Amino acid sequence: MEKNDCRYMAFRTEDMYWAKPLPRDQLTTLLANSTTFGLYRVLPDAPAAKSADSPSSPRSPSPTLGNQPTDELEQIGIARVITDRVTTAYLTDVYILPDYRTYGLGKWLIQCCNEYVTNLPAMRRAFLVTTPGVGKDFYTRELGFWDVREEQERLVCMTRRFFKMD
């Protein structure tokens, strides 16, 4: 992994306690088969905008990441949507670094994911797996998700856990 390849750093942080670092080729495949939303901090901090009509943009445009060169970005958050891009979506790997959790970025990131998912052409079901004490209330409030047990007469959620250890 290259020193400044921020696309892969999220999966190496302890804040993603449910994920373990993967080899670069596996991470590349994982990201290529997902719709991934990233949050980045521009380094060094960009100067404040002069006005709402005149935003700050001190760097030259980059063909890969909009206005910012990749070597001047620090990844501070991520969310992935695994989807067939028509009917089904699975939201996973949502995280924001602790220092950035009080700015509303998590809500904004989830709003972006929600906008993407609700615009799929024939969406039937979006789902996620989360921690009961932390994530459940957040995703209920922000996305309108509910516990699958509330549909126990019509739906059973099944799982099998795999851990491949070397």
Side-chain angles (χ1 to χ4, degrees):
M1 180 179 326
E2 294 176 24
K3 177 182 170 190
N4 294 320
D5 199 344
C6 58
R7 296 171 297 167
Y8 302 99
M9 294 311 295
F11 296 93
R12 301 185 66 79
T13 177
E14 291 179 18
D15 289 302
M16 289 183 82
Y17 57 87
W18 60 90
K20 301 293 180 216
L22 296 171
R24 184 184 176 100
D25 63 325
Q26 291 177 5
L27 278 170
T28 299
T29 301
L30 176 143
L31 293 170
N33 289 298
S34 306
T35 299
T36 306
F37 298 83
L39 288 173
Y40 301 89
R41 178 175 165 229
V42 178
L43 297 173
D45 290 333
K50 295 175 184 172
S51 72
D53 296 327
S54 179
S56 173
S57 182
R59 294 168 188 80
S60 60
S62 166
T64 57
L65 290 172
N67 291 338
Q68 306 306 330
T70 58
D71 61 345
E72 296 184 23
L73 298 175
E74 172 191 11
Q75 187 168 35
I76 61 170
I78 191 170
R80 287 192 315 123
V81 178
I82 303 169
T83 181
D84 60 12
R85 293 182 173 81
V86 179
T87 65
T88 306
Y90 171 57
L91 178 62
T92 188
D93 295 334
V94 177
Y95 102 103
I96 306 287
L97 285 176
D99 291 347
Y100 299 92
R101 292 183 185 163
T102 59
Y103 300 105
L105 295 171
K107 289 180 182 181
W108 180 76
L109 181 61
I110 292 304
Q111 288 171 356
C112 293
C113 294
N114 189 45
E115 183 178 331
Y116 171 76
V117 168
T118 57
N119 284 311
L120 294 175
M123 176 51 62
R124 290 192 293 225
R125 184 169 300 270
F127 61 101
L128 60 84
V129 177
T130 190
T131 307
V134 179
K136 183 179 176 189
D137 292 340
F138 175 77
Y139 293 112
T140 296
R141 184 178 64 248
E142 298 302 321
L143 293 174
F145 278 35
W146 57 82
D147 190 321
V148 72
R149 291 176 292 188
E150 295 175 27
E151 290 188 77
Q152 63 188 0
E153 298 300 319
R154 300 179 326 156
L155 183 67
V156 175
C157 183
M158 300 173 71
T159 186
R160 180 174 173 193
R161 198 170 202 180
F162 290 87
F163 288 105
K164 188 175 182 179
M165 304 300 282
D166 291 328

